[in-house]
Amino acid sequence: MWLRVAALVMRNLYLYRRSATRIMGVVFWPVMSLLVWGFMTDYLQQVALPKTVLFLLGAIILWDVFFRAQQAITLSISEELWVKNIINLFVTPVRIHELVLATCLIGLIRALATTFLLSLLAWALYSFNLLSVGPALLPFYLNLMIFGWSMGLVTMALVLRYGNAAQSLIWGVPFLIQPLSAVFYPVETLPRWLQGVSRILPLTHVFEGLRAALATGRVEPGTLGAATLLNLFYLLLGGLIFWLMLGKVRRDGLLTRTNME
């Protein structure tokens, strides 16, 4: 099993050597986002707004962790559809769980590379140290990865089922839930009727915990506990949806269609 997973991971990593667009996805766009928001944060500090605007830098870096994890699954399998290689992939000895595991590992590698780069830039340009979050940084990071994988499985299930009509969800789903996830502002900022919706998302608890850690140096155990329990539920749900949808796609012969609609 692990040899097949490693082969899939290496296959995807080799694609980055000669693909400027893939490298841009890992380096260019995250760096541009950090620079724009970072200089905005710098300006807000200069006009004497509260120091809490530094929360933006931490939120930008950690939001990218979720985004890279979700994109790793959706784009890795979507590219197989785009180059019409999906049938070849499914006739190999590779099993579905091995393919999913490999794409999750690719997401982890991409997220770690981007986080390292953004953390260095944030420290060099804005004197922001991501490690100031403390020991809670690791469970925050893992929770963001897991939720990204969960959303990636759901998104990919819809793409497999509905084809080109659903491919906009690859990029749309993360930004659809971003306003509800308290990424850049406390959950209390939302209308009261939306706060309940926000609290069923693991991202909300992660970013609320991030702000608490930066402000006080400690994190309430309940925050991490809520994020972890919600993530276990969403991961199981995402895996179930992906498995059921893939089974339907196979039974209906949709994988053999040259152009999915």
Side-chain angles (χ1 to χ4, degrees):
M1 166 185 168
W2 289 108
L3 285 176
R4 291 191 291 270
V5 171
L8 288 170
V9 171
M10 292 302 298
R11 174 181 178 273
N12 280 275
L13 290 179
Y14 282 140
L15 295 175
Y16 283 81
R17 295 189 306 171
R18 297 182 180 179
S19 175
T21 56
R22 288 184 176 87
I23 294 174
M24 286 179 67
V26 177
V27 176
F28 181 78
W29 297 118
V31 168
M32 289 299 102
S33 178
L34 179 70
L35 290 178
V36 170
W37 283 95
F39 287 125
M40 174 63 74
T41 299
D42 219 22
Y43 166 72
L44 293 176
Q45 285 184 298
Q46 291 174 20
V47 296
L49 287 180
K51 192 176 181 179
T52 52
V53 293
L54 283 177
F55 296 163
L56 289 173
L57 292 173
I60 291 163
I61 295 172
L62 291 187
W63 168 258
D64 202 76
V65 174
F66 161 73
F67 188 67
R68 297 300 146 198
Q70 185 263 352
Q71 293 278 288
I73 292 181
T74 52
L75 287 180
S76 295
I77 302 179
S78 291
E79 285 176 341
E80 304 294 346
L81 292 172
W82 296 336
V83 300
K84 299 180 177 61
N85 190 51
I86 191 71
I87 298 299
N88 297 331
L89 189 62
F90 279 112
V91 298
T92 66
V94 174
R95 298 178 180 178
I96 296 302
H97 69 274
E98 294 170 347
L99 175 62
V100 171
L101 178 57
T103 55
C104 287
L105 291 175
I106 289 294
L108 178 60
I109 294 170
R110 290 180 58 177
L112 287 173
T114 304
T115 303
F116 179 73
L117 176 60
L118 295 184
S119 298
L120 285 180
L121 287 174
W123 175 76
L125 296 175
Y126 315 116
S127 301
F128 175 79
N129 184 5
L130 185 62
L131 296 179
S132 63
V133 176
L137 179 61
L138 180 58
F140 282 160
Y141 203 96
L142 291 176
N143 272 288
L144 290 169
M145 290 295 305
I146 293 171
F147 191 59
W149 293 334
S150 304
M151 291 298 97
L153 288 171
V154 173
T155 308
M156 199 60 245
L158 295 174
V159 171
L160 286 173
R161 174 61 182 86
Y162 298 105
N164 293 332
Q167 287 187 11
S168 61
L169 295 175
I170 296 174
W171 295 273
V173 164
F175 295 101
L176 179 66
I177 65 175
Q178 188 185 62
L180 301 176
S181 302
V183 179
F184 301 116
Y185 40 77
V187 68
E188 288 77 14
T189 306
L190 296 170
R192 188 175 298 274
W193 63 276
L194 275 180
Q195 291 180 21
V197 178
S198 176
R199 294 187 190 279
I200 66 174
L201 297 174
L203 294 181
T204 300
H205 300 280
V206 169
F207 287 105
E208 290 279 88
L210 169 67
R211 284 186 286 271
L214 289 173
T216 66
R218 57 187 178 84
V219 179
E220 292 294 332
T223 302
L224 283 174
T228 302
L229 289 175
L230 286 169
N231 264 325
L232 291 176
F233 169 74
Y234 283 116
L235 185 61
L236 290 173
L237 180 63
L240 178 62
I241 291 174
F242 181 80
W243 180 70
L244 291 174
M245 200 66 77
L246 182 62
K248 178 174 178 55
V249 167
R250 282 176 155 177
R251 288 193 303 273
D252 295 348
L254 297 180
L255 288 176
T256 61
R257 291 164 60 178
T258 304
N259 296 306
M260 299 181 68
E261 298 178 356

